[in-house]
């Protein structure tokens, strides 16, 4: 009888314990950083009316779950410190610090990892670890039915083991901030490459735009099973296309990647200047093979090496002497492949690239490194390759990128974080909105996004740093219209419309042949300058380049450009590039200009009255206006007034 009573008692105790379990959002875990000097929200779920006890630093705080199981509590303000143990009923989170937390969001330039910038900053990265820098990347997710309350996050410490997967901009920003403030820095990176601003916007803000109203009323926003059904159908078509390319590819069947393959019937091709990939309107989609031979001295035979084959469109598998040394599935990543020991031989070695073009004209990106590196010695590859087509195929079937649909990412990757206290936000997005429609409405959409996010965080003054789009593509020798410039102007204008926002200009940090520039360290420093101004009221240093205020036409035919106070003193220059003026016809012409004190003097010899002036208005403009602190002026377009 006692045994039965003991079993019943144990079962009852187990039921009580199970019922007492609480759940926390994914953002709460070991190694997290909580925001200092503000009340700290802790929240989650439990059994209805369950008592929840939060313990930290030897102090306990209690609350009770609601009738539906939600609970929340705000801990008092804490100064920076740690490590702490945070207990919530049965849950225990170790190695918790209190410091400064920043949310970083946007698209691929915000995601670009430390791994991608190792060539530029290798020595610095490999010599640095910091227990007081913590980073979490929100797992990809979208939802179109309603905002979500939870996300998947894992906090990681800045160690050599973890750092390669940190976002590079976040890494350099956190490193500089931690050194300067001396407190723990936590970075929440919630971003997704290639996504438009609409994906990160609330449904409420999108309903203000007519072009989104019909989409928001579609089945996508009422049927939770719709995305999965579309993805299954897309996968079937993609699998069919991939089977087709393998079945039709003569090179795959004939093993064209094998060592010493007979290639006498292959055509020699200059990969950068010839039309082997077709034209933009008639691309040669399918599978292309490229082969070249390179001589290696005997003393380097068998050594471990690094092969760089630039950047290719779209996917490649690359071989040396018949051994596959690397694969990349899409265009943008640099091809940096490690060649295993024993692969290279003395004398002639054979490099073969199998390039799969799925959609659009295939090409080798000019200006990237194409070379073999062995023990500090570099062996450049020729731009002349032997080329043969394995098969020609129609473009790969399109698939629906649900991460690009309106409101989906906000619902799943931002909304769940809205109660987590943060010091400020860094926003690096806009490349996906440079089309005609997106660029025209970007300003209003970004204003709405900032206002909505501030509402969600219940902080009307939440610091918001906007990273302006970097220069990219070929430079123009005449004035041009540019969606990229339009988005840059929208970003600039937003900082004038909304208080406690700042612009981190990147107009001189880009690369003509890469939409993902590697110089994330200087860009991070500019974000630090703005965040110091916005979040820490640090007004004793200039935080941005010269910000245009007005342009006036004088009686002598000169146009005088003035800049706002607090954006530094102009760096003097006898000749400035990239300034263009238009009359009433709207046709811009480049003009001569120079600095004089803290103004720019523009020479206008036009016969008609000038109405508008632009600076750096193209995809990859010259950056010629700087302040004496070395910070560049933003591009701009403003009307010209009469004196």
């Amino acid at each position: 009888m006692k045994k039965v009573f003991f079993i019943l008692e144990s079962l009852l105790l187990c039921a009580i314990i199970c019922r007492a379990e609480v759940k926390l959002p994914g953002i709460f875990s070991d190694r997290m950083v909580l925001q200092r000097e503000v009340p700290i929200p802790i929240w989650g779920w439990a059994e209805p009316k369950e008592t929840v006890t939060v313990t930290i630093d030897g102090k306990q705080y209690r609350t009770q779950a609601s009738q539906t199981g939600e609970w929340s509590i705000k801990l008092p303000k804490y100064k920076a410190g740690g490590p702490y143990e945070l207990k919530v009923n049965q849950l225990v989170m170790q190695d918790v610090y209190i410091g400064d937390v920043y949310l970083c969001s946007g698209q691929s330039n915000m995601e670009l990892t430390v791994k991608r910038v190792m060539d530029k900053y290798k020595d610095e990265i490999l010599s640095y670890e910091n227990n007081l820098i913590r980073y979490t990347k929100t797992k990809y997710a979208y939802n179109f039915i309603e905002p979500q309350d939870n996300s998947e996050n894992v906090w990681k410490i800045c160690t050599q083991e973890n750092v390669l997967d940190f976002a590079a901009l976040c890494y350099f920003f956190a490193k500089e901030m931690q050194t300067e403030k001396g407190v723990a820095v936590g970075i929440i990176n919630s971003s997704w490459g290639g996504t438009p601003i609409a994906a990160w916007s609330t449904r409420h803000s999108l309903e203000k735009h007519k072009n989104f109203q019909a989409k928001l009323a579609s089945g996508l926003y009422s049927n939770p099973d719709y995305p999965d059904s579309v993805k299954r159908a897309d996968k079937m078509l993609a699998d069919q296309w991939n089977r087709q390319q393998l079945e039709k590819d003569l090179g795959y069947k004939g093993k064209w990647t094998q060592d010493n393959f007979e290639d006498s019937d292959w055509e020699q091709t200059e990969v950068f200047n010839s039309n082997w990939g077709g034209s933009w309107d008639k691309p040669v989609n399918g599978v292309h093979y490229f082969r070249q031979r390179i001589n290696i001295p005997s003393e380097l035979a068998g050594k471990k090496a690094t092969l760089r084959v630039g950047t290719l469109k779209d996917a490649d598998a690359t071989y040396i002497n018949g051994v596959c040394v690397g694969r990349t599935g899409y265009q943008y990543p640099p091809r940096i492949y490690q060649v295993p020991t024993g692969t290279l031989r003395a004398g002639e070695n054979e490099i073969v690239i199998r390039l799969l073009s799925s959609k659009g004209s295939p090409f080798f990106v000019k200006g990237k490194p194409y070379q073999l590196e062995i023990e500090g010695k570099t062996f450049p590859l020729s731009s002349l390759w032997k080329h043969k087509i394995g098969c020609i195929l129609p473009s790969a079937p399109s698939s629906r990128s649900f991460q690009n649909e309106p409101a989906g990412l906000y619902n799943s990757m931002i909304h769940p974080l809205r109660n987590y206290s943060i010091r400020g936000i860094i926003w690096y997005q806009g490349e996906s909105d440079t089309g005609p429609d997106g660029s025209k409405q970007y300003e209003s959409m970004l204003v709405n996004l900032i206002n909505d996010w501030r509402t969600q965080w219940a902080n009307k003054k939440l610091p918001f740093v906007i990273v302006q789009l970097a220069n990219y593509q070929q430079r123009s020798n005449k004035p041009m219209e540019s969606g990229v410039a339009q988005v840059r102007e929208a970003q600039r204008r937003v900082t004038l419309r909304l208080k406690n926002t700042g612009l981190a200009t990147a107009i001189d940090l880009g690369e003509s042949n890469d939409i993902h520039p590697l110089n994330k360290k200087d860009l991070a420093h500019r974000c630090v300058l703005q965040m110091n101004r916005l979040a820490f009221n640090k007004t004793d240093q200039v935080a941005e380049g010269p910000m245009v205020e007005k342009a006036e036409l004088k009686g002598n035919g000169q146009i005088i450009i003035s800049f706002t106070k607090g954006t530094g003193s102009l760096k003097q220059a006898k000749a400035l590039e990239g300034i263009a003026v238009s009359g009433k016809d709207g046709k811009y012409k480049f003009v001569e200009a120079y600095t004089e004190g803290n103004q720019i003097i523009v020479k206008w010899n036009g016969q008609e009255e000038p109405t508008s002036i632009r600076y750096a208005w193209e995809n990859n403009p010259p950056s010629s206006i700087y302040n004496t602190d070395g910070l560049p002026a933003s591009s701009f377009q403003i009307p010209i007034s009469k004196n």
Side-chain angles (χ1 to χ4, degrees):
M1 186 69 182
K2 288 183 178 180
K3 186 175 181 181
V4 173
F5 178 78
F6 176 76
I7 292 173
L8 291 173
E9 186 180 51
S10 298
L11 290 172
L12 178 62
L13 179 62
C14 180
I16 293 172
I17 292 173
C18 291
R19 187 182 64 188
E21 287 187 354
V22 298
K23 294 181 180 180
L24 290 169
I27 192 64
F28 291 98
S29 70
D30 294 343
R31 300 172 295 278
M32 67 181 173
V33 179
L34 299 172
Q35 181 58 46
R36 61 173 168 152
E37 299 169 353
V38 296
I40 301 173
I42 310 290
W43 72 97
W45 305 272
E47 289 293 317
K49 298 295 184 178
E50 184 68 46
T51 297
V52 178
T53 302
V54 179
T55 306
I56 187 172
D57 194 28
K59 301 180 179 65
Q60 288 189 343
Y61 308 89
R62 287 186 174 85
T63 189
Q64 189 179 60
S66 68
Q67 291 185 348
T68 53
E70 295 89 1
W71 61 267
S72 65
I73 191 170
K74 280 192 176 181
L75 309 186
K77 298 178 183 179
Y78 275 80
K79 292 182 178 180
Y84 294 105
E85 178 183 85
L86 178 68
K87 295 180 65 177
V88 184
N89 283 22
Q90 84 286 353
L91 300 178
V92 181
M93 283 140 285
Q94 304 282 358
D95 195 23
V96 175
Y97 274 81
I98 296 175
D100 289 325
V101 183
Y102 301 92
L103 172 65
C104 299
S105 187
Q107 54 183 114
S108 54
N109 268 302
M110 184 59 89
E111 282 196 292
L112 186 102
T113 62
V114 168
K115 187 185 303 181
R116 289 274 290 274
V117 302
M118 279 293 285
D119 277 357
K120 191 173 182 67
Y121 304 106
K122 183 177 181 180
D123 292 341
E124 177 179 351
I125 292 167
L126 292 180
S127 63
Y128 184 80
E129 292 187 335
N130 193 333
N131 182 55
L132 293 180
I133 293 177
R134 311 295 178 89
Y135 175 88
T136 180
K137 178 69 166 64
T138 305
K139 187 176 180 180
Y140 290 155
Y142 48 74
N143 189 286
F144 304 103
I145 305 303
E146 60 185 356
Q148 301 298 290
D149 291 323
N150 204 358
S151 61
E152 291 190 42
N153 291 84
V154 176
W155 286 91
K156 295 183 178 181
I157 299 171
C158 180
T159 64
Q160 290 300 307
E161 181 181 3
N162 296 329
V163 73
L164 292 182
D165 292 327
F166 284 24
L169 178 64
C170 299
Y171 167 79
F172 288 116
F173 174 84
K175 184 178 178 182
E176 185 171 346
M177 273 296 195
Q178 200 288 314
T179 299
E180 184 178 298
K181 308 300 180 189
V183 304
V185 173
I187 301 290
I188 304 171
N189 187 344
S190 195
S191 53
W192 194 330
T195 51
I197 189 171
W200 300 100
S201 302
T202 64
R203 179 167 183 156
H204 170 72
S205 69
L206 293 170
E207 286 173 341
K208 300 175 184 178
H209 298 272
K210 290 184 178 180
N211 56 319
F212 289 111
Q213 291 172 1
K215 179 164 282 191
L216 292 171
S218 69
L220 175 63
Y221 294 83
S222 59
N223 181 358
D225 298 325
Y226 179 73
D228 286 340
S229 66
V230 173
K231 286 192 290 186
R232 285 193 296 270
D234 287 347
K235 186 177 184 303
M236 288 179 60
L237 293 175
D239 289 346
Q240 184 180 21
W241 190 88
N242 284 319
R243 286 194 300 270
Q244 186 180 27
Q245 59 103 348
L246 289 176
E247 291 169 359
K248 292 189 174 183
D249 179 13
L250 299 176
Y252 182 77
K253 296 177 182 178
K255 299 181 179 179
W256 292 0
T257 59
Q258 69 183 14
D259 192 20
N260 290 319
F261 183 82
E262 172 55 47
D263 61 3
S264 58
D265 61 338
W266 290 35
E267 181 180 352
Q268 185 163 280
T269 302
E270 215 293 343
V271 292
F272 298 124
N273 298 319
S274 64
N275 61 351
W276 60 268
S279 58
W280 68 269
D281 57 335
K282 292 183 179 180
V284 183
N285 285 306
V287 184
H288 298 258
Y289 287 83
F290 298 88
R291 171 179 262 103
Q292 77 166 264
R293 295 174 176 86
I294 187 170
N295 283 301
I296 301 299
S298 58
E299 63 269 21
L300 297 178
K303 301 286 187 179
K304 187 177 180 180
T306 299
L307 176 66
R308 299 176 186 271
V309 281
T311 305
L312 310 170
K313 188 175 185 298
D314 293 301
D316 75 284
T318 299
Y319 301 77
I320 294 183
N321 299 332
V323 176
C324 184
V325 296
R327 299 175 184 271
T328 303
Y330 64 109
Q331 173 185 348
Y332 294 109
R335 274 57 169 180
I336 305 174
Y337 297 143
Q338 301 307 311
V339 182
T341 301
T343 304
L344 296 173
R345 58 190 175 224
E348 199 172 70
N349 292 260
E350 194 166 56
I351 301 171
V352 180
I353 298 173
R354 182 185 188 265
L355 181 64
L356 176 63
S357 172
S358 58
K359 189 175 296 183
S361 184
F363 56 85
F364 284 52
V365 176
K366 193 173 184 178
K368 294 292 184 180
Y370 294 82
Q371 59 198 38
L372 186 66
E373 300 166 358
I374 316 169
E375 294 190 343
K377 296 184 179 180
T378 300
F379 300 86
L381 301 183
S382 171
S383 61
L384 292 173
W385 293 71
K386 283 197 167 184
H387 169 240
K388 192 168 185 178
I389 296 175
C391 67
I392 296 176
L393 294 169
S395 294
S398 297
S399 59
R400 188 160 179 180
S401 299
F402 284 100
Q403 69 271 21
N404 296 336
E405 297 293 334
L409 300 189
Y410 168 79
N411 286 345
S412 289
M413 296 177 67
I414 298 297
H415 191 82
L417 308 172
R418 70 198 184 283
N419 294 321
Y420 201 87
S421 288
I422 57 177
R423 175 70 76 174
I425 295 172
I426 303 175
W427 173 256
Y428 194 170
Q429 189 279 338
E431 294 93 341
S432 292
D433 288 280
T434 56
D437 293 334
S439 60
K440 289 178 182 178
Q441 62 183 359
Y442 193 83
E443 181 182 340
S444 61
M445 293 192 68
L446 185 52
V447 166
N448 289 336
L449 181 142
I450 295 171
N451 285 334
D452 270 9
W453 286 21
R454 285 175 168 175
T455 298
Q456 296 301 324
W457 264 270
N459 184 352
K460 293 181 179 180
K461 297 181 179 179
L462 184 62
F464 201 101
V465 176
I466 301 165
V467 179
Q468 198 178 44
L469 296 188
N471 49 310
Y472 171 56
Q473 298 180 336
Q474 295 304 307
R475 184 164 292 176
S476 176
N477 58 8
K478 59 183 179 180
M480 64 177 289
E481 295 303 317
S482 166
V484 175
Q486 186 72 47
V487 169
R488 290 193 194 112
E489 177 68 355
Q491 293 169 324
R492 183 187 74 87
R493 288 174 58 85
V494 167
T495 65
L496 302 178
R497 290 178 59 179
L498 297 181
K499 294 181 178 180
N500 234 36
T501 59
L503 193 67
T505 302
I507 201 170
D508 59 339
L509 300 180
E511 301 173 24
S512 64
N513 60 2
D514 201 331
I515 199 171
H516 303 117
L518 300 182
N519 190 351
K520 294 297 189 281
K521 184 176 181 180
D522 288 339
L523 184 57
H525 174 66
R526 294 175 186 180
C527 291
V528 168
L529 292 175
Q530 287 287 11
M531 193 61 73
N532 272 331
R533 179 177 70 87
L534 302 174
F536 297 94
N537 197 29
K538 196 169 183 179
T539 58
D540 59 342
Q541 64 182 18
V542 175
E544 60 191 352
M547 185 64 72
V548 67
E549 183 177 44
K550 60 183 178 180
E552 294 180 292
L553 176 65
K554 300 295 183 178
N556 58 5
Q558 292 181 338
I559 301 169
I560 308 300
I561 303 175
S562 302
F563 297 86
T564 58
K565 294 180 180 179
T567 57
S569 301
L570 281 182
K571 181 181 179 181
Q572 298 302 293
K574 294 181 179 179
L576 297 170
E577 295 182 89
I579 297 177
V581 175
S582 79
K584 293 181 180 179
D585 61 1
K587 296 180 179 179
Y588 286 85
K589 300 175 183 177
F590 284 129
V591 293
E592 294 181 25
Y594 59 92
T595 57
E596 187 174 276
N598 216 35
Q599 294 180 322
I600 289 176
I601 312 300
V602 178
K603 297 179 181 179
W604 175 247
N605 297 318
Q607 295 180 357
E608 60 179 316
E609 181 179 314
T611 59
S612 176
I613 190 164
R614 286 175 170 176
Y615 165 67
W617 198 271
E618 60 176 280
N619 298 338
N620 186 7
S623 185
S624 60
I625 304 175
Y626 284 81
N627 60 24
T628 53
D629 295 273
L631 298 172
S634 165
S635 56
F636 60 80
Q637 175 181 290
I638 59 172
I640 299 171
S641 61
K642 289 183 181 180
N643 186 11

